[in-house]
Each structure stands twice: as structure tokens, then as C-alpha cells.
Amino acid sequence: MDKQSQHKKVVTKLLFVVVGMFGFGFALVPLYDVFCDLTGINGKTSNVAATYESVVIDESRLITVEFITRVNTGMPWEFYTETKKVKVHPGQLQQVDFYAKNPASRDIVGQAVPSVSPGPAAIYLNKTECFCFEQQPLKAGEETLMPMRFYVDPQIPADITYFTLSYTLYDVSEQAVAMN
Amino acid sequence: MSSVAEEVHHDDDHHDHHHTPGIKRWLYTTNHKDIGTLYLWFAFIMFLVGGAMAMVIRAELFQPGMQIVEPNFFNQMTTVHGLVMVFGAVMPAFTGLANWMVPMMIGAPDMALPRMNNWSFWILPFAFLILLSSLFLEGGGPNFGWTFYAPLSTTFSNDSTALFVFSVHIMGASSIMGAINVIVTIMNMRAPGMTYMKMPMFVWTWFITAFLLIAVMPVLAGAVTMVLTDKFFGTSFFNAAGGGDPVMFQHIFWFFGHPEVYIMILPAFGIISHIVPAFARKPLFGYASMVYATASIALLSFIVWAHHMFTTGMPVVAELFFMIATMLISVPTGVKVFNWVATMWRGAMTFEVPMLFALAFIVLFTIGGLSGLMLAITPVDFQYHDTYFVVAHFHYVLVTGAIFSIMAAAYYWLPKWTGKMFDIKLAQWHFWCSLISVNLLFFPMHFVGLAGMPRRIPDYALQFADFNKWISLGGFAFGLSQLIFLALLIKACRKKGDSVPARVWEGAEGLEWEVPSPAPYHTFETPPVIK
């Protein structure tokens, strides 16, 4: 085999590696989500509504769930909940209402992004209904009460007795317009 | 030996007729030595440009309070200083050394892909032209740190981010082409009889570095592309509102970034492994263990990236894993330092300028390695994170590590390149001025860092004033010391000085010392015989 075709062979293989690694960089995005979903280490809760069927309520334990609300920089909405904290038995269905108002003079679409701390509790938080599953359009001056229903999976490890669910509200008007 | 020299000389005369005169020689050249020279001069110019930015940073930090530049410009200086030094100075300098030395060390006539070699150099000046020109645009250039964390580089950056992204793409393409060329050259062009385990250490370390480059530069290209689309095309890779995650940026970036720091140090290990045996007049202690240590460092570099992110709120298990994996790297690195010391043990040592730089490298790089070990300890990293302690750490490994090794290499091989001995007095001045000033510059940074001075901030609390004054003075002195190096290099390129024999240093081993000095334009057109 002459030098040129020898070179070509190695170059071809290396180019495959280069293209493969470029792809791998992008594959890290879904891999990251899958990894976080499986392990729940990122405090991300599921974006899909859970069903509440034949759940056994474990009355021997009480879990404290705390709620934090905040708005992202530049997002003018008022956003809070009167319920700062609830104590629930694992398996017990609980509703918490969140209040949002758009005091600005323009229509704004909001998107709430949940996060649970400590992270490992996230996969045991099952939401049957949540405003965070979809975008919230509010006209200028409009206000709304947004319900969130959840139960804590009875499988939750015994060492987790207290966790915090935080919602950050983002202004996604531009993205929402782009999508329509 | 003389027959080889004559033969080479004959070829040299023959080919000299084909020299295109003037600038076209350099634009069209496919000769590995010409391209090596271009890379090295480019790297040196970028070193001065990036150094000038460091001078701006140190001038602002000379006193507490804001006096010379706007905070936004200060941020641009820290950002572009980092980018220029990493991608413009250290990496091209190593590529230049690889171009010059790898073919000569393995007995090859040239790089395997000479035209691509020309191309991979000549796109580089344009990358930096784009990056540096962005500084003069309205709103300024990149100001989010060389690590371009989202959302600083997406939501909060200005439109010049597009120029930053394209320039990084071009730098990446250049490095990838350079790396492919090195791998193909080493795999296919070794002289008959040169088995892998007979390759010189510089060739080995570059071989492994080149694999690191083709593995992670594409990931960097992906990361900047995601920043580009997030900023300009409405994607949400790193935007939580759209389902993305800004912490994921750090994972992707450091998956590139950590192997990148070994890309900048492995060739240095190779250089030191040539210089120490030459001036200790003993063969390198533990050649095989050096090769395996280099390979283990390269492999481990892929599983330690999150030690840059201990404070992002990772679970304890992950922090423990990354802490232990990081500490594991000090084992192969320790093997290397031990081997260099063992090489010197009972050697007939002399202290020519390349050896001075090599010795300074071993001591000062080890200091940088030990502060790295401190940073690896998760609980204390919470205190050190984003302080000047980190700045001290990575400047010890990059300036007194990578850059000192490049200077050592320049002094070691310069007489081979020019055929004349460099000005030894100037070189010694350069070494001692650099050594003293670099420690004045970076050592006190450990203390202000431990005391809590944050990095990348143009102002600081009053209690850090004295230390910062000394740090800045050290910085200015180190900057000026490099002008001695510039003067020496200009003198060397004008071929002033005494002629040197083929084996410039009596203890030096390797094929590059068997061709005449200066190395003829074409070497090893007939492969040498390896014993």
C-alpha cells in the first residue's frame, strides 16, 4: 500500500471520530436529561401529569413540603402562594393555589419552572395537575389563581421528611410568539 | 554520519531553487519547518498581545477602586486575555514545536499532509483577527470570561458574541486539522525500525495530545454552536424557561475544558523529558512508565470535569466521585516528577539556559499541581472557588508550566533551527528576570485568594491593597522580561552568534541532533536507520 492511501485510511477514521464527537456534544443534551430523570439529582420534577389511582396513604409519616416562588429578572408579574408550607402523609392528595398577576401594560406569556431541593426528593413528587405543565398567557392587568395538585409517593425514603418546591416564573412572550 | 549530512546538503541545494521569494514563500509553504516557524512566531505575537491585556488587568488592580478602565472593558480584558493565551499562544506554540520537531524526531521528510498543514496555520490569524476586532465594535467584545458560561454568553451578552463563536469555530478547525496531521504523521511516517516504544517522549506526548484534541475540540465547537443558536435562533439548550438548563452548559464546557488543560501540559511533559536527560547526561529514567503515565493522565482527564463545578449543587456522591478521580491524577503526574528527579540523580548536571527553564518548570509546575490537589478537595473548594487562589493555581501550571516549557524548548532547539548559538547572556537575563517576577506575580495570589479576594472583579476590598500592589509590580516586571526574549529571538533570526555543531548540546540524544545545524530545509528524504 502506498503512503497516500495509508494516510487516507487514517484520516478517514479520524474524521469519523471528529464528526462523532461533534454529535456527542449534542447528544449530551438528551443524555443529561435522561440521566437527571433517572437519578433525580437535578431536582427536576416530571413534566407529565401523574395519575392518582389506588395510592395507599401512609398515615404513619408526615412530610413537610415548603413552597417558594420567584420571578426571573425582568419578569414583572406578581407571583406567590398563601400556602407557605403543608404537612402531608405520603400518598395523600393535596391542592395548593398559586396567585399570579400581570401588572404590566402589555400581554405577557409566563412559564413556571419547578425545582425541588434536596434533589433526590424530586422523583417522589407526583403532580396530577400543575400550571407549570403549560404556558400561562395573561393580558395586561389580568390576574389568575393557578391550582397545583400533588401527592408524595409513599416509596419516598424515610430520611426525607422535609423538602422545598420552588417555582421560577419566566417571561416567554417572545418564544411563544415565535411558536405561533 | 557525515555521509547523511552530505546527502542532505545535496538535497537542500536542489530544493532551494524552488523557494518562492518574499511573502509568497510563507503563504504557499508546505514545508513543516516553515510552518513550524510561522506557528511559533504567531504564538509569540499572541503571547505579547495577551500579555498586554494582562498588563491592563494588573494596572487596574494596582490600587483598590476604579481608576483606569470601565468594568465592562475590564471584563473584556480578562475574557480575551484567557482566549488569546489558551488558543492563540500556548496551543499554537506546541503545534509549532510539533511541526518543527516531530518529523525530524521520527526520521520523516515532512508532515504527512503538508497542504492541510498550510491551511491549518493560515486560518488561525483570521480567527484572532475576528476575535480581536470585536473589541473595537460598539458594545465591545466578549466579556463573559473565557469559559463563556450561559446565561452570561447568551441572555446577557451583546451581538459580538457571534464573532466570538465563529472565531472559536475557526480555532477549533485549525487545532483539529493540526491534530489529525500529527497523528497521521506519527502512525505512517516513522523511520523503519522506530517502533512505538522507541519514539522520543515529545512525540509520544504529542501523539496522545492529538487524540485528546480530536476528541474534545468538536465538543467545544458544539458548545459554542449551542450558545449561538440560544442567543440568535431561539433554541433553549441553556435556557430554563424553554426547558433547558444553564448548569448543563458547564457540564458540556468542562467535558471539553478539562482535557483541554492536559492538551496544554502533556507536550510540556515531553519537552522536559528531553531536556533533563540531555543536561543530566543520563538516559530518561523510566521511559515506559512515562508513556503509560501520559496515557493514564489523558484517560483520567475525561472523568474529572465536574471538579470545576463543585458549588453548583451536585449530590454528595457525585462530588466524592469527582474529588477522588481528580486526586487520582496526581499519581501518574507524581510518577513523572519522580522520573525527572531520578534522571537527575547522580547525573553530571550542567545548567545551560534550557535546563534552567526545565528545572524551574519541575519545581513551579509541582507547586501548581499541589494547589490543584487542594482545589480538588470538595469541602475546601467551596472556600477557594472563584477566588484568586484558583487564578494562582492555573497560572502556576500554565505560565510556569506550559509557557516555561515552551521557552525551554525554544532555547533547546533554537540553535538547531538557526545554526547559531543564541545570546547566552540575554537568555540568562531572561530566565532570572522571568523566574523572580513570575513568582512575585503569582505567589501572593494564593494568599489573597485564601483570604477571599474574588477573581474577575475590577475592584477589591482595602485589605488586599498591599499584596495587589506587589502582584502588579511582578506582573509588569514579567511583561518587560519577555521583551528580552523578543530581542533575543530577533537577534537569533538574524543569524547572529557562533555557529554550532550538529549535536548542539553534548548530552542531547535523538535524530534531530544528527542532521546539520541549521537543520536543512529538507531532512530525512531517505529514512535514517534506527539502531
Side-chain angles (χ1 to χ4, degrees), chain B residues 32 46 113 204 337:
Chain B
H32 73 102
M46 283 297 123
L113 310 158
W204 251 118
V337 175

Side-chain angles (χ1 to χ4, degrees), chain B residues 141-399:
Chain B
N143 58 4
F144 29 70
W146 85 277
T147 51
F148 62 103
Y149 276 15
L152 294 177
S153 58
T154 53
T155 316
F156 301 103
S157 67
N158 64 29
D159 286 348
S160 75
T161 307
L163 295 178
F164 157 79
V165 168
F166 291 137
S167 70
V168 172
H169 275 146
I170 301 172
M171 294 167 204
S174 164
S175 305
I176 290 168
M177 288 195 285
I180 288 177
N181 217 339
V182 168
I183 294 175
V184 179
T185 306
I186 296 174
M187 286 179 81
N188 291 350
M189 311 263 293
R190 278 168 293 132
M194 176 158 301
T195 57
Y196 279 105
M197 288 312 275
K198 278 186 185 166
M199 290 196 313
M201 271 317 291
F202 182 68
V203 179
W204 251 118
T205 52
W206 240 109
F207 191 49
I208 292 167
T209 303
F211 277 106
L212 286 181
L213 275 166
I214 62 163
V216 300
M217 289 310 279
V219 176
L220 173 70
V224 287
T225 309
M226 290 180 217
V227 165
L228 185 79
T229 58
D230 262 20
K231 177 153 183 64
F232 294 101
F233 303 109
T235 57
S236 294
F237 287 108
F238 310 126
N239 182 359
D245 190 332
V247 175
M248 185 179 71
F249 172 86
Q250 299 184 28
H251 282 288
I252 297 175
F253 177 82
W254 287 113
F255 184 82
F256 146 79
H258 204 78
E260 168 70 15
V261 306
Y262 293 110
I263 287 167
M264 293 190 284
I265 204 64
L266 293 184
F269 291 165
I271 291 164
I272 302 305
S273 304
H274 281 253
I275 294 176
V276 170
F279 297 99
R281 290 166 184 78
K282 273 175 65 192
L284 182 66
F285 184 89
Y287 168 86
S289 67
M290 284 298 216
V291 173
Y292 296 131
T294 311
S296 348
I297 294 173
L299 289 176
L300 285 172
S301 76
F302 284 101
I303 56 160
V304 297
W305 76 90
H307 66 214
H308 298 269
M309 306 165 49
F310 281 148
T311 59
T312 52
M314 271 191 289
V316 176
V317 184
E319 301 205 321
L320 282 174
F321 171 79
F322 286 110
M323 172 169 98
I324 291 163
T326 305
M327 291 178 156
L328 213 54
I329 292 185
S330 57
V331 176
T333 314
V335 167
K336 286 188 158 292
V337 175
F338 174 83
N339 283 350
W340 291 322
V341 175
T343 305
M344 290 186 275
W345 176 251
R346 294 190 168 167
M349 284 181 37
T350 49
F351 300 93
E352 284 86 345
V353 177
M355 184 63 161
L356 292 176
F357 272 100
L359 292 173
F361 170 95
I362 296 172
V363 175
L364 300 177
F365 174 79
T366 304
I367 292 178
L370 288 173
S371 60
L373 209 48
M374 289 170 72
L375 286 161
I377 304 168
T378 310
V380 295
D381 180 71
F382 276 68
Q383 184 194 341
Y384 306 159
H385 188 85
D386 255 348
T387 67
Y388 261 79
F389 191 79
V390 179
V391 178
H393 158 68
F394 68 72
H395 282 94
Y396 262 90
V397 290
L398 283 175
V399 179

Side-chain angles (χ1 to χ4, degrees), chain A residues 68-132:
Chain A
I68 294 178
T69 55
R70 57 183 291 264
V71 290
N72 191 37
T73 319
M75 174 60 158
W77 285 13
E78 289 164 29
F79 174 49
Y80 60 83
T81 172
E82 307 257 294
T83 320
K84 298 297 174 209
K85 207 184 265 192
V86 290
K87 283 185 191 236
V88 290
H89 296 296
Q92 173 195 338
L93 196 64
Q94 175 77 34
Q95 175 163 342
V96 179
D97 292 328
F98 288 77
Y99 169 84
K101 183 183 179 182
N102 177 8
S105 53
R106 62 188 171 98
D107 302 350
I108 290 176
V109 183
Q111 167 76 55
V113 175
S115 175
V116 168
S117 179
I123 47 174
Y124 301 102
L125 177 69
N126 295 319
K127 289 181 276 193
T128 58
E129 188 186 341
C130 181
F131 53 93
C132 61

Side-chain angles (χ1 to χ4, degrees), chain A residues 3-4 6-8 10-11 14-15 17-19 21-22 24-26 28-30 32-33 36 41-42 44 73 111 113 120 135 170-172 175, chain B residues 112-113 176 180 183-184 187-189 211 214-216 218-219 221-222 225-226 234 236-237 239-241 243-245 247-248 251-252 255 313 315:
Chain A
K3 277 273 180 251
Q4 279 308 317
Q6 242 181 347
H7 293 346
K8 210 170 267 174
V10 182
V11 172
L14 293 177
L15 283 177
V17 178
V18 170
V19 174
M21 287 309 290
F22 186 71
F24 177 73
F26 284 88
L28 282 174
V29 178
Y32 180 81
D33 283 342
C36 291
I41 53 176
N42 205 19
K44 275 189 178 172
T73 319
Q111 167 76 55
V113 175
Q135 297 178 342
Y170 290 85
D171 178 354
V172 292
Q175 286 95 319
Chain B
L113 310 158
I176 290 168
I180 288 177
I183 294 175
V184 179
M187 286 179 81
N188 291 350
M189 311 263 293
F211 277 106
I214 62 163
V216 300
V219 176
T225 309
M226 290 180 217
S236 294
F237 287 108
N239 182 359
D245 190 332
V247 175
M248 185 179 71
H251 282 288
I252 297 175
F255 184 82

